[in-house]
């Protein structure tokens, strides 16, 4: 193990906060995807690491049904896909991560053939990308071209292609090339679709619990509850960079002062921990609903099992004139407990509230922050309507069946949908590092994200990760990805109606 002499660094998560020590000790308070991945990697490099988190994950085991579960990481399952249109860098990162998931399950002695207890972290059940119409959309064409460029076109099966259907049959994937009729078409037409045999899903909460065990085994120290809750950052004038402040540590809610450098990986709470991120990030909520299958409903139990039913994503509407994809909605196969999870991201809702005085960037003096856990159990009417329509087309046996649960899941959207992993230039002496901005697609990168982030953490512009140009601090990038809308925009939840 590499021996270093670095001073402590604090990694701060939303409900979590982490303090990491660059050369002496690293204390983190983000026990979610980004924080766990980085904590394990830094500890492997010889850094002492302490994780601070106000949530009692040592007791709940990352159970998504626990009372205060709010972090996006604490979830039944997340999609693993390498389909990224023209973004080859994320395609390659996803494939790198996929390989790591497979290796992880293999190390645990679990494979598809011997997983009777549903203990795999990654389930390679395929993903059916259903198009808005009976023809392939532009994003799909871009994805297929990228797959072909990387020599992976034979892993993708286009439903309308006789050649692809034949290949799917020969490779055992034909049963998941499902037909779904387009409503109100005469004669009846079906949506075109592409079955991605590389894709599937990750059992997210189980994965976080497993990475927590890895971290503990490696010597990462975890502090949960009040002693793990961070009250504030501690700042002081820099003597090396006059006119700038540096963050010298954090103060936890139990009154203790921790002298550390700081890393912010706070998920949807990142801007509240570090308002300097207010231009780069925005908290937004996707809508999640579940349906419950009883194990005694044997036909449904079998039909929607991971072995029979793929992940399904549907672009309910084509790409608009501005090139924006809207109407995205998905469903995952049933869990071992019988839950079908449906997610709607066609509208990712914002919750604009007055921003603290001095916040570097606001819109009409406001910024979007997560609602409380109690306020996240009911979905706005547009989300209910979209999910209800989806169920009628893709899950017809459940039309009219009440949801088992509903929840707003808070994401950390960046201005261009790419992560923000870099030192914050507003603070002197590289005293603040950020690792956040998952934008709703970070969970699948858990096994490899820490490696790339730690490279940037240690080496900055001299890091060798191919993700460096995409994750760096980018103050001149235009605010897009919905962040340009602001209060009163089409996603503002204060203007949404509830059924």
């Amino acid at each position: 193990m590499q021996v270093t002499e670095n001073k402590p660094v604090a990694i701060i998560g939303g409900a979590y906060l982490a303090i990491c020590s660059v050369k002496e000790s690293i204390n983190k308070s983000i026990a979610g995807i980004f924080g766990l991945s980085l904590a394990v990697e830094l500890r492997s490099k010889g850094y002492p690491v302490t994780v601070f988190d106000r949530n009692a994950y040592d007791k709940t085991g990352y159970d998504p049904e626990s009372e205060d579960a709010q972090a996006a990481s604490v979830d039944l399952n997340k999609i693993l896909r390498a389909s990224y249109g023209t973004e080859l860098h994320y395609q390659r990162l996803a494939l790198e991560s996929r390989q790591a998931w497979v290796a992880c399950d293999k190390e645990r002695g679990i494979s598809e053939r011997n997983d009777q207890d549903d203990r795999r972290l990654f389930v390679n059940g395929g993903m059916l990308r259903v198009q808005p119409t009976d023809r392939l959309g532009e994003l799909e064409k871009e994805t297929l071209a990228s797959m072909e460029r990387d020599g992976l076109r034979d892993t993708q099966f286009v439903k309308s292609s006789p050649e692809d259907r034949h290949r799917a049959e020969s490779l055992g994937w034909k049963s998941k090339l499902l037909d779904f009729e387009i409503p109100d078409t005469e004669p009846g037409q079906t949506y075109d679709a592409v079955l991605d045999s590389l894709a599937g899903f990750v059992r997210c909460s189980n994965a976080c619990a497993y990475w927590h065990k890895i971290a503990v085994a490696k010597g990462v120290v975890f502090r949960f509850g009040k002693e793990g809750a961070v009250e504030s950052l501690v700042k002081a004038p820099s003597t090396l960079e006059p006119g700038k402040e540096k963050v010298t540590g954090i103060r936890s809610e139990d009154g203790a002062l921790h002298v550390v450098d700081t890393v912010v990986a706070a998920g949807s709470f990142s801007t509240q921990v570090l308002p300097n991120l207010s231009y780069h990030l925005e908290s937004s909520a996707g809508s999640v609903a579940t349906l419950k299958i009883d194990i005694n409903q044997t036909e449904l139990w079998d039909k929607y099992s991971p072995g029979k039913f793929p992940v399904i994503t549907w672009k309910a509407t084509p790409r608009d004139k501005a090139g924006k994809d809207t109407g995205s909605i998905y469903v995952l196969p049933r869990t071992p407990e019988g839950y079908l999870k449906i997610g709607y991201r066609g509208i990712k809702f914002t919750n604009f509230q007055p921003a603290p005085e001095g916040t570097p960037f606001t819109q009409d003096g406001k910024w979007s922050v997560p609602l409380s856990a109690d306020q996240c159990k009911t979905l706005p009417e547009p989300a209910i309507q979209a999910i209800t329509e989806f169920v009628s087309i893709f899950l017809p046996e459940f039309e009219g069946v009440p949801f088992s649960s509903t929840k707003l899941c808070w994401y950390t959207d960046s201005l261009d949908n790419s992560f923000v992993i870099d030192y914050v230039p507003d603070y002197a002496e590289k005293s603040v590092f950020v690792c956040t901005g998952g934008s709703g697609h970070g969970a699948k990168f858990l096994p490899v994200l820490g490696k790339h982030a730690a490279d940037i953490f240690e080496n900055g512009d001299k890091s060798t990760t191919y993700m460096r140009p995409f994750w760096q601090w980018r103050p001149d990038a235009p605010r897009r990805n919905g962040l340009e809308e602001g209060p009163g925009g089409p996603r503002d939840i204060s203007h949404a109606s509830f059924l």
Side-chain angles (χ1 to χ4, degrees):
M1 179 178 290
Q2 177 183 344
V3 178
T4 59
E5 295 182 356
N6 291 353
K7 92 180 202 189
V9 179
I11 302 180
I12 304 170
Y16 338 96
L17 176 67
I19 300 179
C20 313
S21 141
V22 186
K23 292 180 179 170
E24 287 180 9
S25 67
I26 296 176
N27 306 309
K28 307 180 65 177
S29 81
I30 325 160
I33 295 294
F34 282 54
L36 284 170
S37 188
L38 184 55
V40 168
E41 186 65 25
L42 289 173
R43 183 71 194 110
S44 297
K45 289 176 173 289
Y47 299 105
V49 179
T50 302
V51 174
F52 291 75
D53 199 309
R54 71 172 67 244
N55 289 300
Y57 290 132
D58 55 335
K59 297 178 181 178
T60 67
Y62 291 87
D63 182 359
E65 296 188 19
S66 58
E67 185 175 350
D68 295 326
Q70 193 171 10
S73 303
V74 184
D75 198 358
L76 295 169
N77 41 35
K78 299 286 191 185
I79 297 171
L80 192 157
R81 46 104 181 174
S83 49
Y84 271 95
T86 59
E87 294 181 304
L88 278 167
H89 49 290
Y90 273 112
Q91 175 175 301
R92 291 166 181 172
L93 186 67
L95 292 171
E96 178 187 339
S97 190
R98 182 189 185 279
Q99 186 176 17
W101 285 112
V102 172
C104 175
D105 279 333
K106 185 176 181 181
E107 289 173 6
R108 298 167 64 228
I110 304 170
S111 68
E112 184 175 354
R113 294 183 178 180
N114 68 350
D115 189 27
Q116 293 83 4
D117 298 328
D118 294 310
R119 294 189 299 120
R120 275 179 295 168
L121 296 178
F122 167 52
V123 179
N124 179 206
M127 180 174 76
L128 190 67
R129 300 191 295 267
V130 181
Q131 305 300 294
T133 68
D134 62 344
R135 298 182 181 182
L136 296 183
E138 290 303 312
L139 177 64
E140 192 56 60
K141 293 176 182 178
E142 293 168 358
T143 293
L144 291 173
S146 293
M147 291 289 182
E148 185 161 7
R149 181 173 175 177
D150 276 357
L152 298 168
R153 177 61 180 82
D154 61 343
T155 65
Q156 313 293 302
F157 309 107
V158 179
K159 188 172 75 72
S160 59
S161 166
E163 180 183 346
D164 281 12
R165 293 184 71 89
H166 177 74
R167 192 172 72 258
E169 183 174 13
S170 66
L171 294 174
W173 285 98
K174 184 180 179 181
S175 64
K176 291 187 175 181
L177 264 174
L178 304 173
D179 284 319
F180 294 102
E181 188 169 323
I182 301 174
D184 304 321
T185 55
E186 188 65 39
Q189 298 176 341
T190 60
Y191 294 106
D192 204 356
V194 178
L195 179 63
D196 182 352
S197 65
L198 295 173
F201 64 89
V202 172
R203 293 186 170 114
C204 196
S205 285
N206 291 356
C208 285
Y210 180 67
W211 247 257
H212 171 253
K213 290 180 181 179
I214 292 175
V216 170
K218 286 181 175 289
V220 176
V221 176
F222 286 82
R223 295 181 181 177
F224 294 109
K226 190 171 183 178
E227 67 173 348
V230 174
E231 183 178 84
S232 63
L233 304 182
V234 180
K235 304 172 188 177
S238 170
T239 56
L240 299 181
E241 299 180 47
K244 279 189 175 182
E245 284 187 320
K246 65 177 180 179
V247 173
T248 59
I250 61 170
R251 188 176 300 280
S252 50
E253 287 188 1
D254 62 356
L257 174 65
H258 309 274
V259 180
V260 291
D261 283 344
T262 301
V263 177
V264 175
S268 58
F269 295 87
S270 293
T271 55
Q272 295 177 75
V273 174
L274 189 68
N276 306 70
L277 286 164
S278 57
Y279 177 79
H280 303 264
L281 304 178
E282 180 176 83
S283 300
S284 72
S287 302
V288 175
T290 63
L291 294 164
K292 182 71 183 294
I293 305 174
D294 189 279
I295 195 171
N296 294 316
Q297 296 173 290
T298 53
E299 288 188 11
L300 293 179
W301 189 265
D302 182 62
K303 176 179 177 178
Y304 290 106
S305 67
K308 299 287 184 66
F309 192 71
V311 173
I312 292 179
T313 64
W314 180 42
K315 295 289 186 184
T317 56
R319 178 178 287 183
D320 64 20
K321 293 181 180 179
K324 185 177 180 181
D325 293 294
T326 58
S328 179
I329 192 165
Y330 61 87
V331 64
L332 292 99
R334 66 155 177 82
T335 67
E337 299 78 22
Y339 292 106
L340 284 170
K341 187 183 98 173
I342 307 163
Y344 172 62
R345 295 177 60 187
I347 301 174
K348 290 165 74 173
F349 295 96
T350 51
N351 173 45
F352 281 92
Q353 299 296 322
E357 185 176 351
T359 299
F361 179 85
T362 65
Q363 291 163 293
D364 298 333
K366 297 180 178 181
W367 62 359
S368 180
V369 295
L371 291 165
S372 68
D374 288 343
Q375 294 174 296
C376 292
K377 297 178 181 179
T378 305
L379 301 183
E381 184 177 356
I384 293 291
Q385 290 176 342
I387 293 173
T388 300
E389 179 190 15
F390 179 85
V391 168
S392 70
I393 298 171
F394 297 96
L395 310 169
E397 299 94 338
F398 296 93
E399 187 170 8
V401 175
F403 297 125
S404 177
S405 67
T406 57
K407 179 182 179 180
L408 289 172
C409 177
W410 287 90
Y411 301 111
T412 320
D413 284 343
S414 75
L415 45 71
D416 56 7
N417 217 40
S418 206
F419 309 157
V420 183
I421 301 179
D422 201 356
Y423 284 96
V424 180
D426 300 346
Y427 287 95
E429 302 176 37
K430 293 186 175 181
S431 59
V432 180
F433 187 82
V434 291
C435 184
T436 185
S439 302
H441 65 111
K444 60 180 168 291
F445 299 118
L446 172 57
V448 299
L449 187 141
K451 178 184 72 173
H452 291 270
D455 184 9
I456 298 171
F457 179 81
E458 289 191 312
N459 303 305
D461 286 336
K462 295 182 180 179
S463 65
T464 58
T465 170
Y466 57 89
M467 297 305 298
R468 170 61 178 163
F470 306 100
W471 292 349
Q472 65 186 353
W473 191 260
R474 38 196 189 276
D476 298 325
R479 272 192 130 227
R480 294 174 179 159
N481 197 28
L483 275 68
E484 71 277 11
E485 294 171 357
R491 301 184 299 132
D492 190 333
I493 202 167
S494 68
H495 298 289
S497 58
F498 289 79
L499 296 175

